[in-house]
Amino acid sequence: MSHLDDFLSLLCGRFDNARQLEELKQAGGPALPLAEHVNTVCNDRIAGLPADFPGKFVLEESYYTTDGKTHASPHLFLFTEEGEAVKLTSYQLPKSPDGSPVSYETLPPMRWENLEVSGKFTPALYTLHDGVWEGGSVSMFSPVLKFTLYERFSREALEVTETMEVNGKRTFGYDVPIVYRRKAARG
């Protein structure tokens, strides 16, 4: 199995942080939103990819529920092998015809030659350490807006830490990573 295949076997599927929320509630820990990730390889939805294309595009559907309201945040990422590491490059995600956030089921047709790399996101690099893929990046979305991503992926969980800072002051993020665990398949 290639590094990319191993990495994606951990990353793809349906995940949520319900177990973490219950543990934090019992321990009196910090409040986090209910968060769900649905990660799906979507090369089959991109027309014109070269037959020997070395990477895998993944649609990441993120859903965050706070105060009974759910916010969807989809992203299109390309994962490629870089030696022993895996690189994540963010791409602009086409809008759905009605302007609503896309899901794998509603992903509009895409053509390889029309896809654009996100100019704001610094690609993230992940390396394998004792069975755990770790990595991230720091991106300057504007001269004053800094986005920091750090992630750890293992067979047990996906741990995601994201923060946004404006002029050095955190405006988004939590003191603990969001810990996503694979949801049981529906039968």
Side-chain angles (χ1 to χ4, degrees):
M1 178 182 288
S2 73
H3 288 302
L4 183 59
D5 290 337
D6 178 59
F7 183 89
L8 291 175
S9 75
L10 300 177
L11 181 67
C12 290
R14 300 180 75 84
F15 303 84
D16 69 23
N17 69 332
R19 182 167 146 190
Q20 179 188 29
L21 293 181
E22 185 58 35
E23 291 168 354
L24 288 171
K25 182 179 175 183
Q26 290 178 7
L32 297 175
L34 173 61
E36 180 179 9
H37 269 337
V38 181
N39 300 319
T40 310
V41 173
C42 61
N43 285 25
D44 62 325
R45 301 292 183 99
I46 302 169
L49 272 180
D52 59 349
F53 187 73
K56 299 279 176 82
F57 281 93
V58 172
L59 177 66
E60 176 191 87
E61 301 170 54
S62 297
Y63 302 95
Y64 302 98
T65 303
T66 306
D67 298 326
K69 294 185 180 184
T70 300
H71 170 75
S73 180
H75 298 282
L76 181 63
F77 298 124
L78 172 62
F79 292 91
T80 53
E81 285 190 11
E82 300 288 322
E84 297 289 309
V86 172
K87 180 180 176 183
L88 175 159
T89 304
S90 181
Y91 275 72
Q92 299 295 332
L93 183 62
K95 300 279 186 211
S96 67
D98 65 3
S100 64
V102 299
S103 66
Y104 182 75
E105 290 76 25
T106 65
L107 196 59
M110 296 180 288
R111 293 210 48 85
W112 165 240
E113 61 270 14
N114 296 337
L115 292 178
E116 295 179 41
V117 172
S118 170
K120 295 180 180 180
F121 183 83
T122 301
L125 200 61
Y126 299 86
T127 55
L128 186 60
H129 303 281
D130 297 323
V132 177
W133 287 94
E134 297 180 76
S137 69
V138 176
S139 302
M140 293 304 294
F141 286 176
S142 78
V144 298
L145 180 58
K146 176 179 165 182
F147 174 71
T148 303
L149 171 69
Y150 178 75
E151 299 178 299
R152 297 181 79 239
F153 303 145
S154 69
R155 300 252 174 257
E156 291 75 40
L158 310 179
E159 299 175 44
V160 179
T161 303
E162 298 173 308
T163 59
M164 306 247 338
E165 297 175 23
V166 175
N167 289 322
K169 182 176 182 201
R170 186 168 71 182
T171 58
F172 172 80
Y174 305 98
D175 293 333
V176 297
I178 294 179
V179 179
Y180 295 91
R181 296 191 187 278
R182 192 173 298 276
K183 293 173 74 170
R186 292 183 226 174

